[in-house]
Structure formats: structure tokens, C-alpha cells
Amino acid sequence: MVFACAALMRPFGTPPSMMDDYIINNSQQETGTNNVVSAVVFDYRGYDTLGEATVLFLTATAVIMLFRDRKGEGTN
Amino acid sequence: MSKIVRTTAQFLTPAILLYGLYLIVHGHVTSGGGFQGGAVFASSAALLVVAFGSKHVAAFLKEHHLVVLSSSGALIFIGLAFAGMGVTFFYNLFVGSPLFGNIPAYGSNPEDIWTGGTVPLMNFAVAMNVVAGLSAIVIAMGLALRIR
């Protein structure tokens, strides 16, 4: 099965280029953003960025929780 | 730390803050964005902790202020995502409106700044989240390790 998939795979360097061509051609028209990377990160793949922001927020919360001064002697 | 380190940190901190702000507010035009600019911004907090000590920094960057800033950034981000709910989640509803609504011509034209719809606002919200979160992490670890 693995060998069959490897044999049927597209040659390296020629990706199936419908999606990226679409984004490169239409992102300025659709999102009005000159930076296509920003358009992908904040518009087309907004869910991914939402997850990243949530992970960072939870990390900050967990670090503050773990490193908090237990006796309350610090200014923290 | 010694006087040399403290003086150098005093000179470097405004430059780092300015560069981080540039990366954040130009994130929709040139490379950069909320995450990268926020990380640069928060690195100045690390520099200040190393140079001046964590107690000193924690005296004016309070934990509850940072937590409020981080949470409000995340809430603004989710609110902007829900604002396009009339069409889809994360719909860019400000394209064509007076707020960041210019539609640029096809090709490379970085001189058109008033573009992007919700993208610059989301950049700013994510930057608030990242700046406050990373600064809070650095200051909390510095306080726990008693860096002075």
C-alpha cells in the first residue's frame, strides 16, 4: 500500500497548484491585502490563527499559575 | 547588572519597541504581523528583566494589567471573526468600507497602506495577546528565579 502510494505520488516540485494559484491571483481582490501571507494567515486560514492565539494565551496562563510566588511575598 | 548593561538597555529599548510597532502596524503591507512584531516587542521586556531585575520591572508591568491586555486582545480577535458571521466565520467584512477598505491593484504595490479590511485590526489584536502573554511569561519566570 505504501509503495503503491509512493509510486502514484506526484513528482517532487510540481504540487497540485489549483489552491495556491487561486490565492495568489485573487487574494488582493478578495481581502484587499497586499501581503498574501497575511491574507492567508488572517483570512483564509483564520481558524488556524485562532488556535495559535488560544495556545499562546493558555501557555501564558499556565506559566503564571506555575511560577506564582506561593507565600505571596513578591509583588506578583 | 552593571551600569554599562543598564545604559545600553536604556538606549536599545526604544529602538526595539519602535521596530516591533512597525512590524505590527505594517503587517498587512510588508512582511511581519502580529505574532512576529509582538515577539519583538516582548523581547524588550526580557532585556529589561535582565538589565534591571525582575522586581523592578514587575513594579510597573503589573500582572493583572498584562492579563487584561492579553484577554482583551483574544476577545477582539474572536469578536472580529464573529463580526463576519453574516456570510461565514472569519469573513473579511471591511473590504470596500471606509475603514481599511481600499482594494489594491494586482501586483506589488506596498505604498497603499489603507487596505486589508479586518486584517490590520486582527494583527493588532493578536499583537496585544502576544505582547502581554510573552511579557507576563518572562516576568513571572524572572520573579520565580529571582533575577536581580
Side-chain angles (χ1 to χ4, degrees):
Chain A
M1 184 71 184
V2 171
F3 285 118
C5 286
L8 289 175
M9 213 165 59
R10 293 177 74 92
F12 189 72
T14 56
S17 59
M18 285 151 63
M19 191 71 199
D20 45 358
D21 277 352
Y22 176 81
I23 287 178
I24 288 169
N25 287 325
N26 292 319
S27 73
Q28 280 182 313
Q29 189 59 240
E30 283 181 0
T31 70
T33 311
N34 277 318
N35 187 352
V36 181
V37 176
S38 260
V40 171
V41 166
F42 286 99
D43 201 293
Y44 292 108
R45 301 284 165 113
Y47 261 121
D48 186 50
T49 312
L50 182 59
E52 282 177 34
T54 314
V55 164
L56 196 90
F57 182 72
L58 286 178
T59 311
T61 316
V63 167
I64 290 174
M65 228 170 76
L66 282 177
F67 284 89
R68 187 186 279 278
D69 221 347
R70 251 176 250 159
K71 289 166 196 157
E73 58 193 25
T75 54
N76 207 353
Chain B
M1 276 286 177
S2 69
K3 196 162 192 172
I4 299 172
V5 177
R6 271 189 263 154
T7 314
T8 315
Q10 277 179 350
F11 277 114
L12 277 180
T13 306
I16 294 174
L17 293 180
L18 191 64
Y19 185 56
L21 192 67
Y22 160 74
L23 281 183
I24 292 166
V25 299
H26 271 236
H28 61 296
V29 183
T30 53
S31 16
F35 283 103
Q36 294 88 344
V40 170
F41 216 89
S43 72
S44 70
L47 180 67
L48 288 179
V49 165
V50 170
F52 291 96
S54 48
K55 283 258 172 71
H56 197 75
V57 176
F60 67 90
L61 279 178
K62 296 260 186 350
E63 180 195 326
H64 50 276
H65 295 165
L66 291 176
V67 168
V68 165
L69 190 65
S70 183
S71 324
S72 56
L75 284 177
I76 290 171
F77 185 74
I78 299 176
L80 281 171
F82 271 112
M85 207 57 181
V87 185
T88 51
F89 199 51
F90 275 102
Y91 178 70
N92 199 336
L93 79 164
F94 285 151
V95 171
S97 76
L99 186 68
F100 292 110
N102 288 353
I103 296 174
Y106 185 79
S108 159
N109 40 3
E111 74 280 355
D112 199 354
I113 295 177
W114 197 252
T115 54
T118 54
V119 173
L121 303 172
M122 280 184 173
N123 257 327
F124 206 77
V126 165
M128 281 163 68
N129 190 352
V130 171
V131 166
L134 289 184
S135 308
I137 288 175
V138 167
I139 290 170
M141 284 187 170
L143 279 177
L145 296 173
R146 295 191 169 75
I147 296 175
R148 62 179 121 246

